[in-house]
Amino acid sequence: MNSLQKGNGSVVRRVKLATIHLLALGVLSGVVVSLHAGEAISPRRLIEVVDISGPVVSPDSSQVAFRTEQASVARNTYDSVWYVQNTDGKTPPRRVGEGGVPLRSSAGLSLPAFAVWSPDGRWIYYRALMDGKVGVWRASADGSSAKPLTNDPADVRNFLLSADGKTLNYSVGATRDEVIAAEQSEYERGIHVDSSVPIGQGDLFRSGNVEGRLATQRLDVLGDGFARVPLLSGVPDRWKAIDLLTGKTRDLEASEVPSPQTIASALPKGESKPWRYALDTVNHRVALLTRVGDQGDLVQKPGVELSVLLGKNSPRHIECQAEPCVNKAISGVQWKPGSEEVVYTVSDPAEGMAQSIFRWNVKSGEVRLVARSAGLLNGGQRYGLEDPGCGLSSTALVCVAADANRPPRVEKIDLETGKRQVLFDPNASLAADISADMPVKLLRWKDAKGRLFTGQFFAARRTGDRPPPLFIAYYLCPGFLRSGYGGEWPLATFAEHGISALCINYGPFSFDAVERYNQGLSAVKSAVDLLASSGEIDRTRVGMGELSFGTEITMWTAFNSDLLAATSITGALLSRSMYLHGSLKGKEFISRAHKVWQLGSPDETPEQWKRIGLEFNLDKIRSPVLMQVPEQEYVWLLDSAVPLMLDHKADLYVFPQAPHFKFQPRQLLAANERNVDWFRFWLQDYEDPDPEKKSQYAVWREMKAHASNRGENPAGSRGD
């Protein structure tokens, strides 16, 4: 994600950075078998993958609840469903309740789902957007009933179940009518532009999708960039309580407002907040992950230290000193219930961010491997949102597993033996097709400076003596690689059509912009050298594209090398217009721009602007650029897009009301399919005969003709 946009504001406070027809297990209600094995791995199949999140184990460990989320291109919406399954895996999961319209961050990412079990294991409680209202729902674990518990004029922000399971406390802000009235008042009286107004987007009135409707937004004053929040989101929480026996609701007095234990309350006075942590509220312990090591010019310190604090009054940290937890990329931590053990996750950069899970006994110091994966093994998160981890009991983990070539499924992992058992695999048909037709392998290589890079490589089938073209996505490659990190470049589809695809994980993030960009360029160049030298790809036919930070590296590569024959981006890069709009936020933005890009205003730092600004380097762009940009960001790209379009070097599409990550299924499908057409046109000299695409190809042929007139030789014109 672009460095100024890392904070993904949302109605769920401080969740930071910002899909799916069920293809198998037709025995389940609502599961549709829509495609046959062996059919093309199309962008639509990849978009309609079933995502799974929020596994949480019941108090007696016999059941697990989780939520599925699936895009429907036909209806241009998402279906989300809560399931409960017995952890012995002997029966299929039971559909217990609708999950409603998925709640999203302002960047467009689906927010983590979570459910709370009743103490007796009979019910799960969860927040859901239904019929335009965000409320708390209760579903019976046996699937017999599901109903809303709240009927508030305001949307529910948070909820807590009492320890005895008899009372539900929940918080709300401004009412829905108050928010709509405030929006309408601004529409009629004019929106007063100040530092909170997101002026760098196509519209200011009801331009963003908030809680399932188009709503007016403001910039998050607590954020570090262009993250957005709904109008009136600053209205303080009001807490209410429902007696679950009588159904009566009352307002809570200030003294009654629940104050769950926080990390601040668990640490000794003066102790700094750790990078990540896990609280054991029963035994008053906290497991800590602390960033350590020489930070140098890096955004964060390179190492992670695992330790525990046994009570607030005990300032002594017990550090994990066993080999499996020293100098390891530990990314998550949980307490094993009723034990002296901490369960932690390692996301190994040398293995392409593959995750492994370990147990650490804090008294004996012993560390044991539980499970090792080739991909993700967590609570279902693919993006940078904080992951709550796998569902955990005293004997087993229940995780969402996903590999580069295998879509998400629910797995149970025995903590003692490490035995893995698939409980639920709704994507089995697609997994079988990709495994049979599209093998994926992890690549490791070093650049000229000895820096290690990793990536997932989809090798295309050869159709002749000439090696296939290559498409590169540079950013992150977590879990199942449906369409790159940004969701718009279907890697398996490229490979099926004869274009090999490589997803590259970025390296340590440096504050020095030129160093950061050159590291990305070096990763791309060394990967091309590696694959071309082994005869696996044609170095004269290389395309590249990604979202956000991946967009920055794509365009840096385009104007600092001759590696690329075609490029595709979504979202904006830092430009003079972005800087101008951001400066309205004041010193927070200006300080960040200086720290992250070493930029002041164009008059203050002209040489740095000329060095890294795309609009100052347009004459160096030789490869054609497809720009498929969300409306909330396209204004910032016009400084570069318009001159490139006038020079027949760029084609621009703007997606109405889209945020940083597009999420509407039809918009995603259009972007994916156009990217396939784009790279097949430039890298393979191929045009889809679909008559509806005539105007698209007319523009691209004109671009190719102008490139030839300039003496450039587009890769696609060389023939196969």
Side-chain angles (χ1 to χ4, degrees):
M1 178 170 272
N2 187 301
S3 304
L4 282 179
Q5 295 165 312
K6 283 187 176 178
N8 288 336
S10 71
V11 294
V12 178
R13 290 288 221 264
R14 310 316 308 147
V15 175
K16 290 194 170 194
L17 224 222
T19 21
I20 315 177
H21 275 97
L22 288 169
L23 301 172
L25 295 181
V27 296
L28 298 177
S29 172
V31 178
V32 180
V33 179
S34 59
L35 290 164
H36 300 290
E39 190 168 346
I41 304 170
S42 66
R44 179 167 180 167
R45 288 191 77 183
L46 296 171
I47 289 169
E48 292 185 332
V49 160
V50 180
D51 277 313
I52 308 167
S53 61
V56 56
V57 179
S58 63
D60 67 357
S61 304
S62 67
Q63 304 177 93
V64 59
F66 54 84
R67 194 189 74 174
T68 62
E69 180 180 323
Q70 180 189 20
S72 168
V73 171
R75 292 179 288 110
N76 198 35
T77 188
Y78 286 80
D79 299 312
S80 67
V81 177
W82 279 99
Y83 289 95
V84 170
Q85 185 172 14
N86 293 341
T87 52
D88 61 14
K90 294 180 179 179
T91 56
R94 300 178 293 279
R95 181 181 180 132
V96 301
E98 297 294 329
V101 177
L103 300 172
R104 296 185 180 277
S105 73
S106 69
L109 295 176
S110 181
L111 295 173
F114 74 94
V116 176
W117 280 95
S118 63
D120 59 10
R122 294 179 55 207
W123 309 92
I124 62 167
Y125 299 80
Y126 55 90
R127 204 168 65 112
L129 171 55
M130 301 276 202
D131 300 322
K133 305 174 183 178
V134 180
V136 180
W137 284 64
R138 181 173 70 178
S140 61
D142 62 8
S144 60
S145 68
K147 65 177 184 179
L149 294 178
T150 60
N151 185 26
D152 203 279
D155 289 337
V156 173
R157 291 175 170 176
N158 198 3
F159 74 91
L160 294 169
L161 185 66
S162 64
D164 59 10
K166 295 180 179 180
T167 304
L168 181 82
N169 298 305
Y170 70 94
S171 66
V172 296
T175 68
R176 289 179 290 275
D177 287 345
E178 288 171 343
V179 173
I180 291 172
E183 293 173 347
Q184 187 62 30
S185 176
E186 286 193 331
Y187 179 85
E188 295 166 354
R189 299 171 60 86
I191 295 174
H192 178 231
V193 175
D194 58 19
S195 61
S196 71
V197 176
I199 57 178
Q201 60 185 39
D203 197 358
L204 298 181
F205 175 72
R206 293 180 181 168
S207 60
N209 191 292
V210 176
E211 313 298 28
R213 74 175 186 90
L214 290 179
T216 299
Q217 296 175 303
R218 289 291 186 266
L219 296 177
D220 185 357
V221 295
L222 300 177
D224 54 6
F226 294 108
R228 295 163 171 82
V229 294
L231 203 63
L232 303 188
S233 64
V235 171
D237 283 346
R238 291 179 288 113
W239 280 88
K240 302 182 180 183
I242 301 176
D243 186 313
L244 296 177
L245 295 178
T246 66
K248 293 183 178 180
T249 301
R250 66 181 181 88
D251 294 333
L252 292 181
E253 300 292 339
S255 60
E256 297 178 290
V257 171
S259 54
Q261 187 177 2
T262 64
I263 183 62
S265 65
L267 295 176
K269 187 175 181 180
E271 180 94 5
S272 59
K273 183 179 177 180
W275 174 55
R276 288 178 180 167
Y277 60 90
L279 295 172
D280 176 4
T281 56
V282 175
N283 298 299
H284 307 290
R285 302 179 297 186
V286 57
L288 311 169
L289 295 181
T290 307
R291 305 294 316 196
V292 295
D294 182 13
Q295 185 168 352
D297 195 46
L298 299 177
V299 170
Q300 61 184 11
K301 294 179 179 179
V304 179
E305 177 186 273
L306 170 61
S307 65
V308 296
L309 192 62
L310 304 178
K312 183 175 180 180
N313 297 323
S314 173
R316 185 174 68 89
H317 286 189
I318 300 175
E319 296 179 16
C320 183
Q321 298 179 338
E323 188 277 334
C325 60
V326 176
N327 297 322
K328 298 296 188 295
I330 303 175
S331 55
V333 62
Q334 298 172 266
W335 282 99
K336 177 184 168 184
S339 76
E340 302 298 330
E341 291 189 341
V342 167
V343 176
Y344 68 91
T345 302
V346 172
S347 301
D348 191 348
E351 297 295 327
M353 306 307 294
Q355 293 184 326
S356 300
I357 298 178
F358 296 82
R359 295 162 47 195
W360 169 41
N361 188 300
V362 301
K363 285 197 171 181
S364 70
E366 180 185 13
V367 174
R368 295 177 59 186
L369 173 68
V370 176
R372 198 180 299 278
S373 171
L376 295 182
L377 207 58
N378 58 26
Q381 289 302 310
R382 293 190 295 127
Y383 295 97
L385 300 169
E386 293 183 12
D387 194 297
C390 301
L392 180 59
S393 73
S394 60
T395 60
L397 289 156
V398 179
C399 304
V400 180
D403 307 323
N405 64 340
R406 188 173 177 188
R409 66 273 181 195
V410 180
E411 290 192 9
K412 175 185 173 182
I413 305 172
D414 188 283
L415 285 171
E416 285 294 329
T417 66
K419 180 181 178 181
R420 295 170 65 167
Q421 176 188 6
V422 175
L423 297 180
F424 180 52
D425 191 356
N427 300 299
S429 175
L430 179 60
D433 287 355
I434 294 178
S435 177
D437 299 336
M438 203 58 54
V440 182
K441 65 178 179 180
L442 174 66
L443 291 186
R444 301 181 190 84
W445 70 97
K446 292 183 179 180
D447 66 0
K449 293 185 177 180
R451 292 176 293 198
L452 176 68
F453 297 99
T454 63
Q456 300 288 350
F457 182 59
F458 294 71
R461 297 189 192 91
R462 288 183 180 240
T463 56
D465 295 334
R466 192 178 183 186
L470 174 68
F471 170 78
I472 296 175
Y474 181 93
Y475 200 171
L476 279 173
C477 316
F480 178 57
L481 295 179
R482 59 203 81 192
S483 300
Y485 193 66
E488 301 183 27
W489 296 267
L491 305 181
T493 306
F494 283 138
E496 191 168 54
H497 285 304
I499 301 174
S500 293
L502 174 65
C503 181
I504 302 177
N505 292 295
Y506 73 85
F509 202 90
S510 170
F511 274 122
D512 186 305
V514 173
E515 169 61 24
R516 184 168 70 243
Y517 296 154
N518 277 337
Q519 178 178 254
L521 172 58
S522 182
V524 172
K525 182 180 184 303
S526 55
V528 171
D529 288 343
L530 172 70
L531 293 171
S533 64
S534 62
E536 294 194 66
I537 60 103
D538 180 353
R539 68 164 61 248
T540 67
R541 297 184 295 163
V542 177
M544 186 172 176
E546 251 299 356
L547 161 139
S548 202
F549 180 51
T551 284
E552 293 181 280
I553 299 301
T554 296
M555 297 315 299
W556 181 263
T557 302
F559 71 75
N560 282 283
S561 76
D562 59 359
L563 288 167
L564 305 181
T567 56
S568 166
I569 62 174
T570 178
L573 298 100
L574 185 68
S575 62
R576 284 177 291 183
S577 59
M578 181 191 287
Y579 188 92
L580 176 65
H581 296 164
S583 65
L584 188 60
K585 283 197 74 176
K587 63 181 181 180
E588 177 272 324
F589 174 90
I590 293 172
S591 172
R592 186 168 181 80
H594 178 75
K595 189 172 186 178
V596 175
W597 288 287
Q598 296 74 60
L599 287 174
S601 70
D603 291 335
E604 293 171 329
T605 55
E607 293 306 313
Q608 183 71 346
W609 276 99
K610 291 177 183 177
R611 182 74 180 96
I612 70 173
L614 175 60
E615 63 204 276
F616 296 95
N617 292 278
L618 299 179
D619 59 319
K620 300 176 185 176
I621 300 294
R622 289 177 288 277
S623 57
V625 188
L626 176 62
M627 301 174 172
Q628 302 197 86
V629 190
E631 188 178 28
Q632 288 193 352
E633 300 177 10
Y634 90 100
V635 171
W636 298 329
L637 193 60
L638 295 180
D639 304 281
S640 300
V642 171
L644 287 173
M645 292 166 66
L646 292 173
D647 203 18
H648 302 280
K649 291 183 177 180
D651 197 13
L652 173 65
Y653 289 81
V654 177
F655 286 78
Q657 300 163 355
H660 194 61
F661 285 81
K662 302 181 187 73
F663 65 86
Q664 290 190 45
R666 290 179 186 169
Q667 290 189 343
L668 277 175
L669 182 61
N672 274 262
E673 291 183 338
R674 189 173 292 119
N675 272 323
V676 172
D677 292 343
W678 175 259
F679 286 106
R680 295 202 72 189
F681 177 83
W682 291 103
L683 303 184
Q684 295 178 313
D685 204 19
Y686 173 86
E687 295 186 21
D688 189 328
D690 185 344
E692 293 187 1
K693 297 180 179 180
K694 283 185 177 180
S695 60
Q696 163 184 284
Y697 286 115
V699 173
W700 298 352
R701 285 195 296 270
E702 185 177 6
M703 293 173 65
K704 185 178 286 187
H706 278 272
S708 296
N709 292 338
R710 290 191 296 265
E712 299 169 2
N713 192 18
S717 66
R718 296 168 182 154
D720 279 25

